[in-house]
Amino acid sequence: METMMRNAFLYLSKNRMANRTAKRYGLKFGAKRFVAGVQIADAIQAIRELNSRGIVATLDHLGEFISTEKEAADAADYCIRTLEAIAESGVRSHLSLKMTQLGLDISEELCLKHMRMILDIARKNAQFVRIDMEDYAHNEVSLRIFKTLREEYGETVGLVIQAYLYKSLDDIADLATYKPNLRLVKGAYKESSEVAYPDKADVDKNFMVMIEEHLKNGCYAAVATHDDNIIAHVKRFVQEQQIPNSQFEFQMLYGIRTQAQQELANEGYTMRVYVPYGDDWYGYFMRRLAERPANVWFVLKSMFKS
């Protein structure tokens, strides 16, 4: 049953008609729990509240289904406005973005143009930009673009690596010479067993090995997980290997396990919360529902209260 629900929500996450319908209704039926708001000001206020509790953030203006150069240019402009809002407000936050939002499916050159515009602003303001890894079809091109931008912009730019892909350990080894700041995640897209581990236990095992290898390479690791076993494993490993807290951080999603987030911050670890905002929230919301059945029950309760 759980697998069927996951597959259904992942299918719905890519439905363009449902996405358009969702925009008309706004952040209803539980979406407010996972999305900070529609406007930049909403997101900045959410980050101020996190910062006041010793938690930092990464801000993401949600956007999917880009099909025209104008839409891509608008998305790039919004990323720049987000960086400027972070700088003007003084909140402690990075920026995360998806390159398909910036026109990657139109052309690699267009995407690179927009990435350079964004990174020019980030470098000027001493900010950090994380490139989110998307589905497997975009994996190799994302790695290629990241390497190009890393050579041009250095530590201003980082990337995400997904544990459910067979190739990810090789990717970490290949990227080690760049000394990259990587967000390490399990992965939230539906992929074929030809490229990804179908068994959760194998994903978890690969995730822990990835974290260890990346840290042993002397690189910065953003460990993005809500899994207590993974968190405990990281704590033990860094203590055994005498890896300083300054070389890694924990990351969680906005609205999920807020008490655990606070506990990690109180223990002295860097705790970063991924804060999404914007009116194009539908695909992101569907993937959150796919990840955990508990999220579905929360939404159902919200619907009955509406």
Side-chain angles (χ1 to χ4, degrees):
M1 181 64 178
E2 183 175 332
T3 300
M4 289 177 61
M5 290 175 64
R6 171 179 165 79
N7 290 341
F9 281 117
L10 289 175
Y11 171 79
L12 287 170
S13 73
K14 298 180 179 181
N15 188 293
R16 293 172 183 262
M17 182 175 295
N19 183 57
R20 289 194 294 270
T21 302
K23 283 185 178 182
R24 291 201 296 269
Y25 286 94
L27 292 172
K28 295 182 179 180
F29 307 135
K32 284 185 178 179
R33 177 177 181 177
F34 308 112
V35 180
V38 173
Q39 304 298 328
I40 295 177
D42 301 325
I44 293 296
Q45 181 55 38
I47 294 173
R48 281 200 181 98
E49 294 173 6
L50 290 168
N51 288 174
S52 71
R53 297 189 279 113
I55 297 172
V56 293
T58 186
L59 192 53
D60 185 359
H61 179 246
L62 296 171
E64 303 188 32
F65 310 114
I66 292 297
S67 58
T68 69
E69 291 193 16
K70 183 183 184 306
E71 289 173 327
D74 288 345
D77 180 65
Y78 230 108
C79 287
I80 290 170
R81 290 167 57 192
T82 302
L83 286 171
E84 291 172 343
I86 291 170
E88 290 169 6
S89 65
V91 295
R92 298 171 61 200
S93 179
H94 295 162
L95 173 71
S96 288
L97 55 79
K98 289 180 171 59
M99 292 195 295
T100 54
Q101 190 181 4
L102 303 176
L104 181 58
D105 288 336
I106 299 172
S107 79
E108 191 171 331
E109 293 74 18
L110 179 67
C111 179
L112 270 167
K113 171 189 170 183
H114 290 147
M115 281 299 308
R116 290 181 174 119
M117 291 167 56
I118 293 164
L119 290 173
D120 283 342
I121 299 297
R123 183 163 57 186
K124 183 182 74 173
N125 293 331
Q127 295 170 306
F128 178 79
V129 176
R130 174 91 61 194
I131 297 171
D132 282 339
M133 187 64 75
E134 301 181 63
D135 60 1
Y136 182 76
H138 296 96
N139 182 272
E140 285 296 332
V141 66
S142 296
L143 288 164
R144 182 167 66 249
I145 291 175
F146 170 73
K147 290 176 181 178
T148 296
L149 295 173
R150 174 71 181 181
E151 291 174 353
E152 296 177 14
Y153 291 91
E155 296 180 359
T156 301
V157 61
L159 187 65
V160 175
I161 297 292
Q162 301 157 318
Y164 67 173
L165 296 181
Y166 300 137
K167 70 192 291 290
S168 290
L169 271 176
D170 290 335
D171 290 337
I172 283 179
D174 180 57
L175 291 170
T177 56
Y178 293 86
K179 294 295 180 184
N181 178 329
L182 297 180
R183 179 196 294 146
L184 306 176
V185 305
K186 291 186 182 181
Y189 292 87
K190 181 174 173 57
E191 302 290 1
S192 165
S193 60
E194 294 181 2
V195 300
Y197 294 103
D199 192 330
K200 179 183 181 299
D202 291 329
V203 176
D204 290 353
K205 181 179 178 181
N206 198 45
F207 192 26
M208 288 189 280
V209 174
M210 277 173 43
I211 295 166
E212 291 180 3
E213 288 302 307
H214 190 57
L215 287 170
K216 285 191 292 187
N217 288 339
C219 303
Y220 191 89
V223 181
T225 184
H226 304 104
D227 188 323
D228 285 330
N229 291 329
I230 301 291
I231 292 169
H233 180 87
V234 172
K235 289 180 178 179
R236 287 193 302 270
F237 180 76
V238 296
Q239 186 174 24
E240 292 167 0
Q241 299 293 318
Q242 297 183 320
I243 294 170
N245 286 4
S246 59
Q247 195 184 325
F248 71 97
E249 64 186 47
F250 291 109
Q251 294 192 356
M252 293 188 187
L253 300 175
Y254 181 77
I256 299 178
R257 301 210 63 197
T258 54
Q259 183 176 344
Q261 294 171 12
Q262 193 62 58
E263 289 172 356
L264 286 167
N266 292 345
E267 290 171 15
Y269 297 104
T270 299
M271 178 69 239
R272 189 175 304 276
V273 171
Y274 180 90
V275 180
Y277 80 100
D279 65 354
D280 200 0
W281 51 268
Y282 171 79
Y284 175 84
F285 181 45
M286 287 296 107
R287 288 192 291 275
R288 298 296 76 76
L289 296 184
E291 284 174 349
R292 295 179 68 239
N295 293 339
V296 179
W297 302 128
F298 174 86
V299 171
L300 289 175
K301 286 190 290 184
S302 297
M303 291 173 67
F304 285 115
K305 289 178 181 176
S306 298

